[in-house]
Amino acid sequence: MHHALGLTLIRQKRPNDALNEFRTASELEPDRSRYAYVYAVALHSSGRVGESIDVLKDNLVRHPDDRDSLSTLVTFSRDSGNIGAALEYAERLSRLVPNDCELNRLTDDLRARLK
């Protein structure tokens, strides 16, 4: 219910209220990785980048193979300048989807940027 209310609040252009609902949803139902993912994206959209990355990392502790969290951590880490972390998450994701050509190119690019 909190997750759905958060989505409604986003549509009503009330992002701060939505954040509270997304946080509550992710805390009440930690087994639903999607709730933490949505909360993290909402945090990031509100400029709270560090918190969003922390939420995604915590989500990976509970759901180590969550593709959305891994993919988003690649992007958020890369965009915040942490290429090493972005590469680590990209490599983890590559183990889950080894034949993804775009992901393989991204991983190669991240490796090159670290050199």
Side-chain angles (χ1 to χ4, degrees):
M1 183 121 102
H2 291 282
H3 179 75
L5 178 55
L7 295 174
T8 298
L9 290 167
I10 288 292
R11 287 196 246 358
Q12 294 177 348
K13 309 243 186 279
R14 295 171 53 194
N16 291 332
D17 295 329
L19 268 176
N20 291 329
E21 295 302 325
F22 291 143
R23 179 186 44 76
T24 300
S26 69
E27 289 173 351
L28 290 175
E29 296 193 54
D31 290 340
R32 299 190 76 169
S33 65
R34 184 74 179 173
Y35 291 175
Y37 165 76
V38 170
Y39 177 44
V41 170
L43 282 168
H44 191 273
S45 294
S46 70
R48 295 162 64 179
V49 176
E51 289 176 72
S52 68
I53 290 173
D54 289 343
V55 168
L56 290 169
K57 286 179 182 179
D58 290 344
N59 197 36
L60 282 182
V61 170
R62 290 184 301 278
H63 310 280
D65 295 338
D66 184 71
R67 293 178 186 182
D68 288 333
S69 292
L70 284 166
S71 177
T72 304
L73 276 166
V74 171
T75 302
F76 289 0
S77 297
R78 180 198 61 205
D79 292 351
S80 67
N82 192 342
I83 304 303
L87 178 58
E88 176 187 330
Y89 296 121
E91 288 173 340
R92 283 178 65 179
L93 188 56
S94 291
R95 288 190 288 277
L96 296 174
V97 282
N99 297 321
D100 185 321
C101 294
E102 186 175 327
L103 179 57
N104 290 336
R105 277 193 296 274
L106 174 61
T107 304
D108 290 342
D109 178 62
L110 291 169
R111 283 187 187 114
R113 289 176 68 178
L114 273 179
K115 292 181 181 181

